[in-house]
Amino acid sequence: MPFVFDQTQIEWPDDDSDLPPPRADQFVYLPAPDFGGEREPVHFSLDVPPEPPAPALITPVMKPPSLWDRLRGRRYPTAQITPAVRAAATARAAREVFTPQRLIAVAVPALRELGVQRLYCRYDGGNDEGFAWLDSAALREGTRIDADALAQRLTEQKFLDRLVDHGVMKRVDGASERDQVASFVRDWLCTEWATLLLGRGFGTGEYVMYGAFTVDLDSCTVIDDPKADAVTSNVEITR
């Protein structure tokens, strides 16, 4: 799990200026359950569940406050959770599972065809958002390539066609095929695996974080690197 610098006990400057960047030696490594993520190794599947229906746009039924509510000072109306509202929420939750599963189910076979055995991804963030990106890919032949080289090979493999045909993403007008594949490989794909490992909304809280994890395409597992170097892309750390 991530290396975390807790900001909750830090005294902020009186002039509301930003805190100085934390030092690498001030970070503490947290095991997965302590951070709110899953117990490792985290397993993922290439099976895609049936596509759930699109969630309906339903306005919750509002009922006026009761006499008891008014006596307690509650003047605003309260939402009544009807079966229709509950069904729409269930459909939205199902789609949150379906979309990443479809993404992984398309990407992993394509990576395996290129001889990719493992991916090494990094992540950082804190306060408002978490980020993840591809550092390198290890091939079965024993070599390692960076994200740009992997994106180029996938582009030559017509990987974007697969993503579009399976409804994972749409083509972006004005953007080259190479750039669209590179964006998917560098950021989007690793973010989905980071979410499996760290939990949805990782990076949101009063802290600064960084770390790295390995995705094994043979065993379909995600394992955090407890010895990850303090390499960041979106937060600043001093040595």
Side-chain angles (χ1 to χ4, degrees):
M1 272 304 149
F3 291 86
V4 176
F5 173 71
D6 186 4
Q7 294 178 316
T8 58
Q9 305 300 319
I10 302 299
E11 184 175 348
W12 289 76
D14 294 334
D15 58 3
D16 293 329
S17 61
D18 292 334
L19 290 171
R23 300 189 314 272
D25 61 3
Q26 292 179 297
F27 286 76
V28 177
Y29 185 78
L30 293 181
D34 292 349
F35 184 74
E38 297 295 326
R39 187 174 300 278
E40 299 176 272
V42 178
H43 293 270
F44 59 89
S45 171
L46 303 188
D47 297 330
V48 181
E51 182 170 5
L57 297 177
I58 299 176
T59 302
V61 177
M62 308 301 289
K63 62 179 181 180
S66 65
L67 175 61
W68 178 243
D69 287 333
R70 292 196 298 271
L71 290 175
R72 294 173 61 189
R74 181 183 294 170
R75 302 298 181 182
Y76 55 86
T78 57
Q80 182 178 4
I81 306 301
T82 65
V85 172
R86 187 176 292 107
T90 301
R92 280 191 290 271
R95 294 195 70 84
E96 288 182 356
V97 174
F98 171 76
T99 301
Q101 276 296 106
R102 181 168 55 177
L103 179 156
I104 291 173
V106 174
V108 171
L111 292 168
R112 287 174 175 171
E113 290 171 17
L114 291 177
V116 179
Q117 187 174 27
R118 291 183 304 277
L119 300 175
Y120 190 70
C121 304
R122 297 188 183 275
Y123 58 86
D124 64 16
N127 294 302
D128 294 319
E129 194 171 1
F131 306 87
W133 65 96
L134 179 64
D135 180 89
S136 61
L139 306 183
R140 296 187 184 280
E141 64 190 37
T143 60
R144 188 178 294 272
I145 60 176
D146 62 16
D148 288 336
L150 181 59
Q152 180 60 41
R153 297 190 186 191
L154 285 170
T155 301
E156 296 169 356
Q157 191 194 46
K158 299 298 181 182
F159 181 52
L160 182 59
D161 290 344
R162 296 193 191 189
L163 296 174
V164 174
D165 292 344
H166 286 81
V168 175
M169 62 185 292
K170 298 180 179 179
R171 296 182 186 275
V172 179
D173 294 337
S176 69
E177 184 172 341
R178 169 72 166 70
D179 288 345
Q180 292 178 71
V181 171
S183 177
F184 177 87
V185 171
R186 289 185 189 130
D187 305 313
W188 190 6
L189 186 58
C190 287
T191 298
E192 293 301 338
W193 274 312
T195 299
L196 291 178
L197 176 69
L198 304 171
R200 189 167 298 278
F202 73 92
T204 303
E206 293 183 76
Y207 56 80
V208 179
M209 61 178 284
Y210 75 86
F213 58 85
T214 298
V215 181
D216 190 310
L217 301 184
D218 289 340
S219 61
C220 292
T221 56
V222 184
I223 300 177
D224 201 61
D225 181 2
K227 298 181 180 179
D229 295 330
V231 176
T232 61
S233 180
N234 305 280
V235 298
E236 187 177 354
I237 297 176
T238 58
R239 301 290 178 175

